[in-house]
Amino acid sequence: MALGPVSGLWERLSGWQQDQVEAAAKVEVKRLAGMLERPGDAPRLLADRLTDRLEETGGEALVTGPYGWLIRRGLLQRQACSDRRCDDGIRLDTGSECENCHNARMLSEVEEAAFDTERHRSVRSRVAAQQREAAYAVWGKHYAPYGIWHDDSPMTPGDRSAKESLGRHLASFPRPPGNAGPTTRG
Ligand SMILES: [Zn+2]
């Protein structure tokens, strides 16, 4: 019978509670039978559900309120999508994976991946912008006031090597859109 897997809980119920649980189980079996090709499978299907739910909880011993657990958790279908034959992502009529749930999951994975890519791109461009700002700040603070990079400025070997290394540094960053930024003239 459908309530077989929960016989331990059944014994802990009062007479009134047993009546209620039995009635609820009958309603659920009837409802399940209505959507199955082989209606005779309904009691076994409900028994399987109770077994699964018990496994989730960790066994009958861990159920503190047997009546509430049976009525609100054990016997209830968990329709995970819009398909009324869906119970926890498994089709009640076929016992296979619910296609509707599968599709929804695929879609959300694709959306998540797209979101990750977008976020990755924006973090990368923010870091690049910060590095560029820092490089320009160094350029402006230390070199621009002296005009040492004009073609006709006399340069010490130290100036020249500083210019070259900073020029390489600046060249490694993409220019901000709409702003050419300071340029080094060689
Ligand atoms: Zn589903």
Side-chain angles (χ1 to χ4, degrees):
M1 165 59 190
L3 293 171
V6 289
S7 54
L9 298 182
W10 178 260
E11 285 164 17
R12 287 159 61 190
L13 299 175
S14 71
W16 177 85
Q17 288 174 331
Q18 286 181 344
D19 290 346
Q20 300 297 310
V21 167
E22 195 174 12
K26 273 185 184 151
V27 167
E28 186 61 10
V29 165
K30 199 172 166 196
R31 203 180 65 86
L32 288 172
M35 48 176 110
L36 295 177
E37 267 180 45
R38 292 184 303 185
D41 286 348
R44 185 188 50 79
L45 215 59
L46 186 56
D48 288 349
R49 179 189 296 170
L50 287 166
T51 303
D52 287 349
R53 303 278 200 267
L54 262 185
E55 257 171 41
E56 275 177 13
T57 302
E60 285 182 314
L62 293 181
V63 176
T64 44
Y67 179 68
W69 187 94
L70 282 163
I71 294 293
R72 285 193 295 275
R73 183 160 179 187
L75 291 171
L76 282 192
Q77 178 179 348
R78 263 190 236 150
Q79 195 177 326
C81 69
S82 58
D83 193 319
R84 67 188 190 92
R85 296 160 302 185
C86 172
D87 186 17
D88 256 344
I90 301 293
R91 277 275 294 268
L92 288 168
D93 53 344
T94 61
S96 55
E97 186 186 22
C98 170
E99 206 175 311
N100 210 7
C101 277
H102 177 77
N103 292 342
R105 200 162 48 240
M106 292 298 285
L107 187 65
S108 81
E109 273 169 21
V110 167
E111 282 171 350
E112 209 165 288
F115 178 71
D116 279 351
T117 306
E118 187 50 45
R119 193 171 46 191
H120 186 68
R121 197 178 292 136
S122 91
V123 166
R124 221 171 31 199
S125 73
R126 202 163 58 233
V127 168
Q130 283 167 355
Q131 290 175 331
R132 195 173 53 228
E133 289 306 313
Y136 287 156
V138 168
W139 183 86
K141 191 169 164 195
H142 294 294
Y143 300 101
Y146 303 105
I148 59 165
W149 285 354
H150 286 274
D151 290 344
D152 51 357
S153 312
M155 283 199 286
T156 66
D159 288 342
R160 191 169 288 116
S161 104
K163 173 191 171 183
E164 281 166 7
S165 85
L166 188 58
R168 274 197 304 276
H169 189 50
L170 289 177
S172 68
F173 300 112
R175 298 269 175 237
N179 173 15
T183 52
T184 63
R185 292 195 293 164

